[in-house]
Amino acid sequence: MGDKVEVSDEITNSALNKYFSREVQLNLKDKDDSVDIAIPIIKKISEEIHRNDPRFCAQPTYIGSHAQGLKVQCADEFDVNVKLNDVDDLPCGSHFTPRYYGFNRPIDGELRTIPNDLEVIPSTVPLPNPENGYTYLEWRGRDSHLWQDDDLFMEDNLIPFLVNRHFRNLLCAAIRNLDMRVMVRKASKLRGPAIMIYINVPGHHEITVDFSVTYEDNTPWPDHISWPSKHQKWPTAYKAIQVHKAGVHCVAKKAI
């Protein structure tokens, strides 16, 4: 047998210190710098959007890997939920009734952009019922003073496409009004349900922020959504029960 090689504590500690300085400390500083850059911009934009339309909450909700402390590389992406205000009595559809409206021109597949010329108009052909995992939001007799206008509704249904387009316009106006156009620009395409912006500050890498408009429904967990799967080791049974008790929230993903 060959001779055993001893590694001294001094060498091991030296290697660990070098690794910590090179990999960990730099990443932590990068994260801190990204947070210091992104959070004030997100806060100002959210407040400006709320100032122009109080239906959108001024206090953003941070989600995703960074908010959960799971981001181990550079902090280059922030996920933000923007809640709709004063919608406590807005029910999700369960026993679906026919909805007679649609777009003014054919749409193939999922929308990747938000066209200004696309409109929601009455139709003689009903829309199909939502597939599993989706619903529509019906709100009859809107009592809230914030929701008296019909600009985001058709047949008392809140239309995701109209919500996202209106929010996109408010977001662009906020960037202009706050004189942020040098360092902040909006992405031309959607990323899932999110409207994305890029933040570019000299001397720092590009940061992306995904804004998603949400309605906190808190209805019971749908029976047709099986999560977690039977053989999944994460999360724990206790955590899964807590998630199920919290219910579900709705995000404006489908166009209509």
Side-chain angles (χ1 to χ4, degrees):
M1 295 178 63
D3 295 335
K4 292 183 178 179
V5 178
E6 282 191 15
V7 180
S8 69
D9 291 341
E10 182 179 354
I11 295 175
T12 302
N13 289 335
S14 175
L16 286 173
N17 287 334
K18 286 181 180 179
Y19 179 83
F20 181 80
S21 298
R22 186 179 66 250
E23 301 293 338
V24 179
Q25 283 187 323
L26 287 177
N27 278 345
L28 289 175
K29 183 181 184 305
D30 179 90
K31 287 182 183 179
D32 290 341
D33 290 346
S34 294
V35 169
D36 290 342
I37 291 169
I39 298 302
I41 291 175
I42 294 170
K43 186 173 183 294
K44 288 179 181 178
I45 289 176
S46 299
E47 289 174 348
E48 178 68 10
I49 289 173
H50 174 76
R51 188 182 70 81
N52 285 294
D53 191 335
R55 292 179 292 187
F56 297 93
C57 184
Q59 302 300 323
T61 302
Y62 298 95
I63 61 171
S65 58
H66 175 264
Q68 295 167 355
L70 301 176
K71 193 78 171 178
V72 294
Q73 298 298 322
C74 62
D76 57 356
E77 181 177 319
F78 293 80
D79 299 301
V80 179
N81 278 355
V82 180
K83 297 185 293 185
L84 294 177
N85 278 331
D86 205 8
V87 290
D88 294 339
D89 59 345
L90 179 58
C92 286
S94 55
H95 303 289
F96 299 114
T97 56
R99 297 170 295 150
Y100 289 92
Y101 53 82
F103 287 124
N104 58 337
R105 57 183 170 84
I107 298 297
D108 294 327
E110 189 173 328
L111 286 174
R112 300 297 181 186
T113 60
I114 306 178
N116 284 320
D117 64 338
L118 195 60
E119 299 297 338
V120 181
I121 61 174
S123 171
T124 58
V125 179
L127 288 169
N129 284 339
E131 58 195 89
N132 284 346
Y134 294 87
T135 187
Y136 64 81
L137 302 179
E138 184 179 30
W139 199 3
R140 298 186 183 278
R142 302 191 293 275
D143 295 329
S144 168
H145 71 281
L146 294 180
W147 292 93
Q148 293 304 305
D149 291 340
D150 290 329
D151 57 328
L152 306 181
F153 288 85
M154 176 64 73
E155 293 185 0
D156 288 319
N157 294 321
L158 190 63
I159 308 299
F161 169 76
L162 298 179
V163 172
N164 272 339
R165 184 168 65 184
H166 182 54
F167 181 81
R168 186 273 316 267
N169 293 341
L170 291 169
L171 177 62
C172 292
I175 294 171
R176 289 196 306 270
N177 296 342
L178 296 169
D179 199 21
M180 290 182 174
R181 283 177 287 182
V182 172
M183 60 180 173
V184 180
R185 62 187 176 89
K186 187 190 72 66
S188 59
K189 293 186 177 181
L190 297 172
R191 181 149 70 176
I195 298 172
M196 183 170 60
I197 64 171
Y198 301 101
I199 300 174
N200 287 282
V201 174
H204 196 76
H205 58 75
E206 185 174 76
I207 299 171
T208 64
V209 182
D210 288 350
F211 288 93
S212 298
V213 179
T214 61
Y215 160 57
E216 294 196 350
D217 184 44
N218 297 313
T219 56
W221 190 269
D223 293 335
H224 59 265
I225 299 180
S226 178
W227 181 89
S229 61
K230 293 181 180 179
H231 304 293
Q232 195 168 316
K233 295 182 179 179
W234 183 92
T236 64
Y238 173 77
K239 178 64 69 174
I241 291 172
Q242 295 302 110
V243 171
H244 281 213
K245 284 182 177 179
V248 297
H249 295 168
C250 297
V251 64
K253 184 173 184 180
K254 289 286 187 179
I256 200 168

